[in-house]
Amino acid sequence: MSVQLDRSYREQAIAGLGTEEIDVLVIGGGVTGAGAALDAASRGLSVTLVETRDFAAGTSSRSSKLIHGGLRYLEQMDFALVREALKERGLLLNTLAPHLVRPVPFLFPLQHRVWERAYIGAGIALYDTLGGARTVPMHKHLTRTGALELAPALREDAMTGAIRYYDAQVDDARHTMMIARTAAEQGATVLTRTTVTGLERDGERVVGARVLDLETGREHTIRARSVISATGVWTDDMIKLTGVDFPFHVRMSKGVHILVPRDRLDLHTGLIMRTEKSVLFVIPWAEHWIIGTTDTDWALDKNHPTATAADVQYILDHVNALLREPLTRADIVGTYAGLRPLMTGASKETAKLSREHAVAEPAPGLFVIAGGKYTTYRVMAADVVDAVAARLGGEIPASSTDTLPIIGATGYAEMLAAAQSLAAAAGLPAETVEHLLGRYGSLTSELLDLVRTDHTLRQPISGAPEYIAAEIVYAVTHEGALHLDDVLTRRTRISIEVPDRGLAAAPQIARLIAPLLGWDEETTDAEINRYYDRVHAELAANEAADDEAANTARLVAVH
């Protein structure tokens, strides 16, 4: 039985805050913070992680959901970054998270004869070479006819041929949450809805923090020998809290994605295409395609970046340049916007700012990690914990997270091979069990136990039939979900995968989790209404002409 991040876990963890000094306090529950908590705990250090909202509530749930080396960094001659990222891709695919990370093919359409094939082909060949040991198939050159067989949706005159290559994808929010759960398995305390209000000091040295439990309104003091800030786009807020200038700052770049139904595009592969600013992806995502991203400055609300009408039109214009049948706004099922934390660089264009990360100790005992990209989260985490270990002294082991599978990985392959028999024993369709295995890995056995105990948990969710009731219950009993939005937006992806953004599913889901979270009828209704308000505010923001208007529309329903 895995560690259950349920209501009682949280109550006990909150009660234990401040009872004794810990080795490491991690601030931030995105992928880097969760990775740092796991790295430190797996070295035998005592660790507490605090996150203001939910695991992956910021950037780490709003990425392109790719585990990749970054083809475009080759043009910037950043070979070290690409090599590092491709090594991490291999580890995730083969060892760390084969249940969550899977290969995906991409087609790179070519629009110029001879020189472009040679130029792009050489870059992709180098990409494969830097990837080292084979974790995905090698690239392949295709004629126009061959490309159209894989991508009938493309216009014949939109390309002269293409190159197919492979990368990998992940559900970023679930992956981040499961890293946090793995950290808990290793002995870390992981807490959401717990925000830092100030740092504790002994002279110049940072020796802990004051945190506010947003669920109860009570403040606690955590004493720690070291503090790690893994706060992403909130790094400059930590600078203000610290009162000490950091050696780097973080600049925000907004990336927007849209989702359209899978049957709307006749493609047997993903797509990647150049734009004047960066690249645009069409990425297979279960019954949908994710299309994005944009790359624009953002200086407004960090918690709720929004997609504007102009952002959506930019994406449609670029993808439609290749399609036989253009997409329209009516085809869009969902949208989301995220903020990339880019370290300040010499260039004013965010697309050219560094994705490499940096670690600093701006005040004794306070360590800051910033920059980087999702794929290299584990390296970032190891680097910042190495810095902590050097400060703490003693015989602290080196990082071993390159060989430590994320929960659900061990036994996954065996369960996948037995999916048919597991489905028959549980009274579920085989496709449902395969869906569960792709989200929970070998932890699927825990969901099947729920179904055997309560047959009503086999039922699909009204308005989101790809999910069953057991997944909703499990989100609260095992995965740390505390609010309706946590379930609809991050434990599942209902908020972006169905046309009504989850409005029909929200009441049923709220009533499934209410008794598990101790909600009365008034609280349950408030959660539903709050989610409704959020959806309507986001839809209004999507119609706004610019960032300022969209930000104003979204903040009508702040939570």
Side-chain angles (χ1 to χ4, degrees):
M1 178 70 72
S2 61
V3 169
Q4 297 181 221
L5 302 187
D6 59 6
R7 186 180 173 194
S8 63
Y9 171 92
R10 189 177 193 280
E11 289 172 352
Q12 292 174 25
I14 289 288
L17 293 180
T19 56
E20 58 184 38
E21 185 182 49
I22 60 172
D23 294 319
V24 184
L25 170 64
V26 179
I27 304 171
V31 70
T32 305
L38 172 57
D39 190 284
S42 65
R43 300 193 200 197
L45 299 173
S46 54
V47 180
T48 295
L49 178 149
V50 293
E51 158 60 38
T52 298
R53 292 189 293 163
D54 184 26
F55 300 124
T59 302
S60 295
S61 62
R62 304 176 190 180
S63 73
S64 294
K65 316 201 186 311
L66 293 176
I67 298 295
H68 66 137
L71 262 180
R72 70 187 179 94
Y73 301 127
L74 289 179
E75 282 195 291
Q76 299 172 17
M77 309 296 283
D78 204 340
F79 301 124
L81 177 61
V82 175
R83 182 183 293 108
E84 179 180 78
L86 290 174
K87 178 184 176 184
E88 293 303 308
R89 184 189 70 181
L91 287 172
L92 287 161
L93 280 166
N94 296 327
T95 304
L96 305 183
H99 55 315
L100 301 173
V101 181
R102 50 194 58 89
V104 59
F106 285 97
L107 201 66
F108 194 121
L110 302 172
Q111 280 142 6
H112 303 279
R113 297 186 184 278
V114 185
W115 73 265
E116 189 181 24
R117 185 179 290 278
Y119 178 69
I120 300 298
I124 293 178
L126 178 59
Y127 194 70
D128 279 346
T129 302
L130 290 172
R134 292 271 63 78
T135 57
V136 297
M138 291 284 287
H139 73 284
K140 182 178 181 180
H141 284 261
L142 300 169
T143 64
R144 178 160 55 191
T145 300
L148 288 172
E149 288 176 359
L150 284 176
L154 300 186
R155 292 188 359 244
E156 287 189 37
D157 63 353
M159 61 181 170
T160 60
I163 302 174
R164 186 189 65 187
Y165 75 99
Y166 280 77
D167 255 319
Q169 72 174 168
V170 67
D171 184 329
D172 47 9
R174 291 200 58 76
H175 177 245
T176 297
M177 176 273 297
M178 291 179 87
I179 295 170
R181 285 189 67 190
T182 310
E185 292 271 355
Q186 293 290 317
T189 297
V190 294
L191 287 167
T192 61
R193 311 288 172 179
T194 312
T195 191
V196 172
T197 58
L199 296 175
E200 291 289 294
R201 295 177 184 269
D202 182 1
E204 293 298 311
R205 184 174 180 80
V206 174
V207 294
R210 297 180 300 282
V211 299
L212 178 66
D213 177 3
L214 298 176
E215 297 295 294
T216 65
R218 296 175 187 155
E219 193 167 66
H220 304 265
T221 298
I222 301 174
R223 294 175 295 127
R225 298 171 66 201
S226 59
V227 176
I228 294 174
S229 168
T231 49
V233 297
W234 289 269
T235 295
D236 282 15
D237 292 348
M238 280 298 300
I239 295 175
K240 295 175 185 175
L241 193 67
T242 307
V244 176
D245 196 23
F246 292 6
F248 47 75
H249 293 258
V250 167
R251 182 173 173 182
M252 296 181 291
S253 167
K254 184 179 74 167
V256 170
H257 297 79
I258 64 173
L259 277 78
V260 301
R262 190 68 172 265
D263 60 9
R264 184 59 185 81
L265 295 177
D266 189 4
L267 298 171
H268 309 293
T269 175
L271 298 175
I272 177 175
M273 63 199 79
R274 288 173 174 271
T275 71
E276 66 275 14
K277 295 181 180 178
S278 181
V279 294
L280 193 76
F281 288 98
V282 179
I283 307 161
W285 179 262
E287 299 305 312
H288 302 85
W289 297 99
I290 294 175
I291 308 175
T293 179
T294 61
D295 200 335
T296 57
D297 279 331
W298 178 264
L300 301 169
D301 182 66
K302 297 183 182 72
N303 290 331
H304 307 290
T306 51
T308 66
D311 294 325
V312 171
Q313 195 59 51
Y314 172 90
I315 293 172
L316 289 176
D317 287 346
H318 281 83
V319 73
N320 284 340
L322 294 180
L323 299 178
R324 292 176 186 267
E325 297 181 18
L327 295 170
T328 70
R329 289 175 181 270
D331 293 312
I332 297 173
V333 172
T335 65
Y336 64 92
L339 300 176
R340 304 178 189 90
L342 306 176
M343 287 190 298
T344 301
S347 170
K348 293 183 179 180
E349 297 178 30
T350 60
K352 295 181 181 177
L353 292 183
S354 175
R355 291 299 182 90
E356 293 187 60
H357 63 272
V359 175
E361 188 179 9
L366 174 66
F367 298 83
V368 181
I369 176 77
K373 60 200 295 281
Y374 192 102
T375 302
T376 57
Y377 80 90
R378 193 197 63 80
V379 176
M380 296 167 65
D383 284 352
V384 73
V385 177
D386 281 347
V388 168
R391 167 66 76 172
L392 293 179
E395 297 188 8
I396 298 171
S399 175
S400 61
T401 53
D402 59 342
T403 60
L404 178 60
I406 294 166
I407 57 169
T410 303
Y412 162 68
E414 293 79 3
M415 288 190 71
L416 185 61
Q420 294 280 350
S421 59
L422 289 171
L428 290 168
E431 56 267 27
T432 298
V433 172
E434 290 169 0
H435 157 88
L436 295 175
L437 286 166
R439 287 168 46 76
Y440 305 91
S442 58
L443 297 182
T444 296
S445 60
E446 296 181 346
L447 285 100
L448 298 181
D449 288 343
L450 289 176
V451 166
R452 292 188 192 98
T453 303
D454 183 352
H455 290 180
T456 66
L457 297 182
R458 296 175 182 165
Q459 299 303 312
I461 296 300
S462 176
E466 292 81 9
Y467 298 92
I468 62 172
E471 296 180 80
I472 306 307
V473 169
Y474 191 82
V476 170
T477 59
H478 288 72
E479 296 181 338
L482 296 175
H483 291 277
L484 182 59
D485 183 60
D486 298 344
V487 177
L488 283 158
T489 305
R490 287 171 291 276
R491 303 306 181 277
T492 71
R493 292 301 194 153
I494 293 171
S495 66
I496 58 173
E497 290 178 340
V498 296
D500 74 349
R501 295 352 189 227
L503 295 179
Q508 180 186 358
I509 290 174
R511 288 178 172 84
L512 276 169
I513 64 178
L516 302 170
L517 291 169
W519 295 350
D520 57 20
E521 188 172 343
E522 182 180 357
T523 303
T524 303
D525 288 343
E527 286 278 331
I528 295 169
N529 290 333
R530 192 177 299 118
Y531 184 75
Y532 282 4
D533 289 345
R534 182 207 123 163
V535 169
H536 292 307
E538 286 185 347
L539 290 172
N542 292 164
E543 298 299 319
D546 56 37
D547 283 345
E548 288 75 14
N551 188 67
T552 299
R554 178 60 183 87
L555 291 182
V556 168
V558 169
H559 69 278

